[in-house]
Amino acid sequence: MSEQKIIPARNPGQVAIAIVLLFGVGLLIYLVISSPFITWAAIPQFILDETVVDGIKLTILFTVLAMVISIVAGALLAMMRLASNPVLVNFAGLYIWFFRGTPLLVQIIFWFNIQLFIPSINLGFVVLDTNSVVTAFVAALLALSLNEAAYMAEIMRGGLMAVDSGQGEAAKALGYTPVQAMLRIIFPQALRVIIPPIGNQTISMLKTTSLVSVVAAQDLLTRVQNIYARNFLIIELLIVASIWYLLMTTVASGLQYLIERRLGRATYEAPAVWRAAMRILRSEGSKG
Amino acid sequence: MSMPVTPMVEAIDVRKSFGLLDVLKGITLSIQKGEVVCLLGPSGSGKSTFLRCVNHLERMTSGKLLVDGELIGYHQRADALYEMSGSELAVQRRDIGMVFQRFNLFANHNVLENISLAPILNRGVARKEAEADARRLLQMVDLEGRETAYPHQLSGGQQQRVAIARALAMKPKLMLFDEPTSALDPELVGEVLSVMRKLAQDGMTMLVVTHELSFAREVADRVIFMDQGVVVEEGPARSVIDTPQHERTQTFLRRMH
Ligand SMILES: Nc1ncnc2c1ncn2[C@@H]1O[C@H](COP(=O)(O)OP(=O)(O)OP(=O)(O)O)[C@@H](O)[C@H]1O
Ligand SMILES: [Mg+2]
């Protein structure tokens, strides 16, 4: 008997929707491209503009710094949340409640205007003008980091609680100090749960940084706003910014994919970075 | 007449409650050096809780617990007991091995690391030496060649044998076992019990919570029967298991057969 050709079933409903979609998207693209009000030449002109590139650098700087600070602060908050002292537990709880419960935009504007009720900072030996300490950059970074720390704390708490309690007990029974048990046994296992959402938060942060443009913190969006305030090429410059945001989030997603694939392969092994850090700590420790 | 010897474990009126639930209602017992004692009793009688008090995984409500003459978990100053810090407790626990019902091997470490890490970190043993020791222990538990396996790649019986090797690597003077074979398929129980039998023959002091009557009868020097938070009966393994004196012990043993 000769081999039979197999023809999969068709789904006419999906075909119909696909046709409507193609038509709709095509129409939209046509409308944008054929619009006489868009100066297309402005896009290549501004895409590598020095001001724009400086803005990108700052956006990346905000993202990296805010993520690093919020990861450290979030880890501390998560451990406080799981501590036995009720003051620590409640402090962390209140912090998370407050920073997740108020809009980030409000927090950015708040930090920027803090000199309204704290005009100067008295360090005892020197009195600083609040305005010179809390610049737009500092206000923006504070707001992004403190807000993100609340979300990070919840991600980490989830990760720590996902580790079987028997792991910590076995470590205790073997004479690990609480800090060792956390660093050697519990946290490396929690990482597997924590890293994927941290990746998502980082990608999200790349875009969230655009909110700091309200205090003119000189990120990518602030820069393009400054440019179109002068030449009125609003849509063109927003397209330039969007291209860059898309590029950055796409690269970040790619990195995330690579990291997660690595984690997935070494199912129970700590990530290489963590192992390397531990090796360094260990050799430091044995020297001392 | 011989000199009085410090017992390995001495529990004096140990009490523990969880909220309103009194789980241990005054446990007094002692275990001599080199002795193998099996702790029997119905579910919920407080066996695990007592065992966890011995290395202070559980904080007792009142009473005293000494291991090799040393007060566990507390400093005695004047009339009060002050609980130790986490790192002081860690130092005490290094001499007390514990094997859990659910193995609790470290999922992020392979077999060799599971065994050698604690001696390296907590006893300051050189890595080479700790790994050589770990290999020796693996041989003892019949698992040579499995150094690089991760716990999830091993059967329950193999995991439990690694867990025993891991505890032994710290060279403890006392081993606590909490139902080490209860989570195992019946055909894997024997391999774990035979490692424990070997350990008993080598003179290790062991306190074993178990439901394996034949193991208790054969290996234990003494059996302690607990029910509802009190010690009901204790004595030489064979006589308690074969001719129990108390009604509660008789009922329990009849159900076990
Ligand atoms: N952390 C805890 N919080 C509240 N109650 C607990 C806790 N741990 C144990 N208990 C209770 O204490 C009692 C004794 O428990 P324990 O685990 O010591 O019994 P066991 O003799 O080991 O029983 P089994 O043979 O089932 O293991 C049980 O009623 C149990 O529900
Ligand atoms: Mg139990």
Side-chain angles (χ1 to χ4, degrees), chain B residues 92-103:
Chain B
Q92 276 194 332
R93 290 184 181 125
R94 287 168 196 172
D95 293 332
I96 307 171
M98 189 170 204
V99 175
F100 300 85
Q101 185 173 350
R102 288 178 49 248
F103 332 130

Side-chain angles (χ1 to χ4, degrees), chain B residues 21-41:
Chain B
L21 181 68
D22 293 327
V23 174
L24 300 179
K25 301 170 187 158
I27 303 284
T28 299
L29 56 83
S30 66
I31 297 169
Q32 303 309 312
K33 286 176 181 153
E35 209 179 10
V36 176
V37 174
C38 281
L39 198 52
L40 306 181

Side-chain angles (χ1 to χ4, degrees), chain A residues 43-222:
Chain A
I43 292 171
Q45 185 194 334
F46 283 104
I47 195 103
L48 291 174
D49 185 274
E50 204 180 318
T51 325
V52 171
V53 172
D54 284 347
I56 292 162
K57 286 182 192 157
L58 218 60
T59 287
I60 293 174
L61 186 67
F62 273 132
T63 304
V64 171
L65 287 180
M67 289 315 290
V68 169
I69 297 171
S70 66
I71 284 170
V72 173
L76 291 175
L77 284 167
M79 284 184 223
M80 283 163 86
R81 200 92 213 263
L82 299 171
S84 53
N85 184 317
V87 176
L88 301 188
V89 175
N90 287 312
F91 172 84
L94 266 171
Y95 181 99
I96 293 165
W97 169 76
F98 182 81
F99 281 91
R100 288 205 311 180
T102 55
L104 175 55
L105 192 51
V106 173
Q107 291 170 30
I108 294 170
I109 300 171
F110 170 86
W111 286 112
F112 187 63
N113 289 296
I114 195 153
Q115 88 282 357
L116 292 181
F117 70 99
I118 309 176
S120 63
I121 301 165
N122 192 339
L123 290 176
F125 55 94
V126 60
V127 179
L128 298 169
D129 175 16
T130 304
N131 250 343
S132 64
V133 178
V134 187
T135 57
F137 178 85
V138 172
L141 186 60
L142 264 177
L144 290 174
S145 309
L146 296 184
N147 179 267
E148 186 62 27
Y151 290 90
M152 225 32 114
E154 288 296 89
I155 290 172
M156 301 222 180
R157 187 169 69 107
L160 292 177
M161 290 199 323
V163 178
D164 178 43
S165 64
Q167 296 284 311
E169 290 205 332
K172 273 191 193 172
L174 282 163
Y176 285 64
T177 64
V179 174
Q180 277 177 334
M182 176 57 73
L183 289 181
R184 299 271 180 176
I185 306 299
I186 299 168
F187 196 66
Q189 291 183 52
L191 271 185
R192 294 178 34 72
V193 181
I194 289 171
I195 281 182
I198 285 185
N200 293 339
Q201 292 295 106
T202 308
I203 290 166
S204 179
M205 180 61 81
L206 278 168
K207 296 167 292 168
T208 306
T209 52
S210 62
L211 285 177
V212 306
S213 61
V214 290
V215 297
Q218 303 307 318
D219 69 310
L220 176 56
L221 187 59
T222 311

Side-chain angles (χ1 to χ4, degrees), chain A residues 164-178 180 184-186 188-189 267-270 275 282, chain B residues 52 55 57 86-87 90 93-94 96 100 102 104-109 113 117-118 121-122 127 150 152 166 170:
Chain A
D164 178 43
S165 64
Q167 296 284 311
E169 290 205 332
K172 273 191 193 172
L174 282 163
Y176 285 64
T177 64
Q180 277 177 334
R184 299 271 180 176
I185 306 299
I186 299 168
Q189 291 183 52
T267 313
Y268 283 94
E269 282 178 77
R275 298 198 140 215
R282 200 145 54 214
Chain B
R52 293 159 56 80
N55 63 357
L57 280 184
S87 39
R93 290 184 181 125
R94 287 168 196 172
I96 307 171
F100 300 85
R102 288 178 49 248
N104 297 347
L105 289 182
F106 300 135
N108 58 326
H109 290 299
E113 294 164 339
L117 216 54
L121 288 174
N122 306 331
R127 169 169 299 268
Y150 276 82
H152 68 105
R166 174 177 73 170
M170 288 297 282

